[in-house]
Amino acid sequence: MATRTDSPKTHGRASERTRGRPVLPEVLERPAVERLCREGILSASSEVPDVSAVRQADGAGLALLWLLARRAGTAPASGEGVALEGLDETLRGRLEAYAAALRGASAPAASQPSQNPISALGQATCDTLAGWGAAIAYLGEVLWSAVHLFSGRFRWGDCRLAFLRCGVQAVPVMMLIGFLMGLILAFQSAIPLKMFGGEGFVGGLVGIALVRELGLIVAAILMAGRTGSAFAAELGTMKVNEEIEALETMGLSPVRFLVLPRVLAGTLALPTLSLLATLAGLLGGWLVMGVLGFSAHYYLDQLQAFVHVKDILGSVCKAFVFGFAVSATGCWFGLRAGRDAGAVGTATTAAVVVGIVLLAVLEGIFSVVFYAMGW
């Protein structure tokens, strides 16, 4: 049986081609690739090595072969094929597949056809209505879960902890902002009133503004930025970590287990915080009245003359509604957070923005209602 052998002439040419060139090992895996890279196999000054001895390669080895082929000019970016002289046929096929995968990953995504404007409008309308429907269903679930407050299964410990975070720990900043608000309001109102000799009415103006509107609005906005964002971040992190899905798997309602304690804490905390902020603002107004030369008794008489019980009751009623709205909004966006890296940040931002907008809408509604009631 005849055996095929290379002619001496062909063998001599192959020897001349590989003489002086580095030779890759038979097993081209990650440790060998790391060693070759440290030795400068990919440097511009080094020659293209001899790959005829390679019989086994992992992902790192294929990547090295691909880079060598690109440097040798046998694997153009257009992707006609990969050719390394002397490479094993099996590895050649794997290298072709590797190159095809790289070309597919770097290829630009096909442009989507433009959507019909009427179809886009209809899709946006359906998405908006679906979002409103989900929000209404969430509100109904929160209100329905309130029946568990006195069932013995409500987590009062979580509610106390949430009240501590959103209520007690917020007292210093609320009182500071309230005091500065009353101070600034009194000084700014004293300037024009003094032109008409009416600086004595500064106390009544400060009292009406703080008790009816400013004390509550400032406290509610601070709560939206502080508590609403915290609730959204907490529940959003749970969503990313799949803790909410774990609760649902165990048959526990996330709304009753996570949302209700936080909403109840926020609803109870805002009336107290708004009263404290209002008192601090009245203290700032009293300080300005003293600077203007008026006694504390005169300031109290002004407050009694201009501020009535219905003003305080209206502010407290609005505080309960505002606290519920801010807390429920923060929890809503936390439950609807995505799973990517920026999902928690997006949910937190949306909770603050939507919470503040919702406060403005509710304030407008209450203003119309109180005006119709003669308040």
Side-chain angles (χ1 to χ4, degrees), residues 44-202:
S45 59
S46 64
E47 298 185 62
V48 177
D50 180 15
V51 299
S52 59
V54 181
R55 293 294 180 268
Q56 183 178 345
D58 59 359
L62 291 176
L64 178 61
L65 293 175
W66 165 249
L67 293 175
L68 293 175
R70 290 296 302 270
R71 199 181 70 182
T74 57
S78 57
E80 292 87 48
V82 181
L84 279 175
E85 184 180 356
L87 185 64
D88 182 72
E89 291 298 328
T90 302
L91 287 178
R92 189 185 301 276
R94 292 180 58 192
L95 191 57
E96 290 281 357
Y98 180 84
L102 287 181
R103 290 193 298 272
S106 60
S111 58
Q112 297 293 334
S114 59
Q115 193 176 12
N116 186 288
I118 299 178
S119 177
L121 178 62
Q123 184 65 41
T125 304
C126 291
D127 294 341
T128 302
L129 293 177
W132 279 103
I136 294 174
Y138 164 77
L139 178 61
E141 188 175 0
V142 172
L143 296 176
W144 177 253
S145 299
V147 300
H148 297 284
L149 289 177
F150 304 100
S151 64
R153 293 181 294 175
F154 181 71
R155 299 173 64 87
W156 288 103
D158 291 350
C159 184
R160 286 192 294 269
L161 180 60
F163 185 84
L164 174 67
R165 292 177 176 174
C166 69
V168 178
Q169 295 179 357
V171 169
V173 65
M174 290 291 182
M175 296 193 68
L176 175 62
I177 297 298
F179 176 79
L180 295 176
M181 183 65 63
L183 195 73
I184 295 170
L185 182 62
F187 270 123
Q188 294 298 322
S189 60
I191 295 174
L193 288 177
K194 192 174 183 179
M195 298 171 58
F196 303 97
E199 64 267 23
F201 296 101
V202 170

Side-chain angles (χ1 to χ4, degrees), residues 94-340:
R94 292 180 58 192
L95 191 57
E96 290 281 357
Y98 180 84
L102 287 181
R103 290 193 298 272
S106 60
S111 58
Q112 297 293 334
S114 59
Q115 193 176 12
N116 186 288
I118 299 178
S119 177
L121 178 62
Q123 184 65 41
T125 304
C126 291
D127 294 341
T128 302
L129 293 177
W132 279 103
I136 294 174
Y138 164 77
L139 178 61
E141 188 175 0
V142 172
L143 296 176
W144 177 253
S145 299
V147 300
H148 297 284
L149 289 177
F150 304 100
S151 64
R153 293 181 294 175
F154 181 71
R155 299 173 64 87
W156 288 103
D158 291 350
C159 184
R160 286 192 294 269
L161 180 60
F163 185 84
L164 174 67
R165 292 177 176 174
C166 69
V168 178
Q169 295 179 357
V171 169
V173 65
M174 290 291 182
M175 296 193 68
L176 175 62
I177 297 298
F179 176 79
L180 295 176
M181 183 65 63
L183 195 73
I184 295 170
L185 182 62
F187 270 123
Q188 294 298 322
S189 60
I191 295 174
L193 288 177
K194 192 174 183 179
M195 298 171 58
F196 303 97
E199 64 267 23
F201 296 101
V202 170
L205 189 149
V206 171
I208 292 177
L210 288 176
V211 173
R212 286 187 177 182
E213 300 295 340
L214 285 182
L216 173 59
I217 289 296
V218 170
I221 292 176
L222 285 176
M223 188 174 182
R226 186 180 183 277
T227 302
S229 60
F231 288 169
E234 289 175 0
L235 298 185
T237 303
M238 292 181 183
K239 185 70 176 294
V240 173
N241 295 334
E242 300 183 354
E243 297 178 29
I244 294 179
E245 285 76 3
L247 289 176
E248 294 175 345
T249 302
M250 292 186 292
L252 300 175
S253 172
V255 173
R256 181 169 62 86
F257 193 79
L258 299 174
V259 174
L260 188 59
R262 289 171 170 80
V263 171
L264 180 61
T267 304
L268 297 178
L270 186 56
T272 306
L273 293 175
S274 65
L275 288 177
L276 292 175
T278 302
L279 291 176
L282 294 177
L283 181 62
W286 169 75
L287 183 62
V288 174
M289 290 293 286
V291 173
L292 296 176
F294 296 94
S295 64
H297 291 288
Y298 181 82
Y299 181 65
L300 292 177
D301 291 339
Q302 286 285 308
L303 293 180
Q304 291 177 0
F306 286 94
V307 180
H308 304 288
V309 177
K310 63 181 181 180
D311 299 325
I312 301 175
L313 293 178
S315 178
V316 172
C317 292
K318 289 194 294 184
F320 280 108
V321 177
F322 288 179
F324 177 85
V326 168
S327 305
T329 302
C331 295
W332 160 254
F333 282 101
L335 291 178
R336 291 174 60 89
R339 300 182 183 278
D340 56 328

